[in-house]
Amino acid sequence: FDVPQRFVGSFIWNLPEPSQRLKRAFLAGWQLNGIVTLQSGTPFKLVTGQDRALSGTGTQRPNLVGDPYVANPGISEWFNPAAFALPATGTYGNVGRNTLLGPGIANADLSIFREFGLTERAHLQFRAEAFNALNHANFSNPVASITSANAGYILSASDPRILQFALKLRF
């Protein structure tokens, strides 16, 4: 797939240690990590959903008869299905392959952890991790079959925020 714009950045930040001894006992040694992904949408193929070309599959492309773009694309109308028509029986449509782009991605995965020394050789690590930490809805591509009742609708999204905690004992 051609993704026109994509940015992925990661960071590791060792949090600064406080100068006061009591605060240092609780706040020192923490590390914050993250991966940020920003991406434009991926192209998707519009299909007729019927075997108009009599080739044995319903994945032929429709004809473009209007403006497929909507002013404010959203989950209930990502593109204008009325801008497409079924081609004549025995023919293929004129819409190009992957002519429309789906919704983009904005995601941040974060973790914070600290290692505690138990003995000279044994260490206990506490981790807290958040996937899709900002709980941003990253939608999938819309229904691309123009004969579907849901044409242009987005019916799914990636996972919501997921939190996990872990303890790891190294010895």
Side-chain angles (χ1 to χ4, degrees):
F1 289 108
D2 174 32
V3 178
Q5 293 90 27
R6 181 168 170 84
F7 169 82
V8 178
S10 63
F11 64 89
I12 298 173
W13 181 34
N14 290 318
L15 299 176
E17 294 188 13
S19 59
Q20 297 172 340
R21 184 179 179 140
L22 183 58
K23 286 183 182 178
R24 194 177 319 128
F26 294 103
L27 301 176
W30 289 95
Q31 186 178 54
L32 180 66
N33 305 303
I35 299 173
V36 176
T37 304
L38 303 171
Q39 172 183 306
S40 60
T42 57
F44 62 94
K45 175 182 170 184
L46 290 164
V47 295
T48 60
Q50 298 178 358
D51 185 12
R52 302 298 288 189
L54 306 176
S55 65
T57 67
T59 59
Q60 294 104 28
R61 291 173 254 177
N63 283 326
L64 181 64
V65 295
D67 184 10
Y69 302 101
V70 294
N72 296 310
I75 61 171
S76 61
E77 187 181 38
W78 190 258
F79 65 89
N80 178 12
F84 303 96
L86 294 173
T89 302
T91 65
Y92 291 98
N94 63 7
V95 171
R97 181 178 177 272
N98 293 337
T99 54
L100 297 177
L101 291 178
I105 295 172
N107 187 54
D109 296 333
L110 302 174
S111 68
I112 187 165
F113 65 90
R114 181 176 178 197
E115 197 161 287
F116 301 91
L118 300 177
T119 66
E120 186 177 314
R121 297 186 67 205
H123 299 315
L124 182 68
Q125 183 184 74
F126 169 76
R127 299 182 75 94
E129 299 169 321
F131 303 97
N132 190 8
L134 303 177
N135 205 25
H136 182 267
N138 292 304
F139 296 111
S140 302
N141 284 341
V143 174
S145 175
I146 65 161
T147 54
S148 169
N150 294 323
Y153 281 70
I154 295 175
L155 302 178
S156 62
S158 62
D159 290 332
R161 179 186 304 128
I162 297 172
L163 301 174
Q164 72 181 24
F165 301 93
L167 286 175
K168 179 167 68 171
L169 179 62
R170 291 183 339 164
F171 55 93

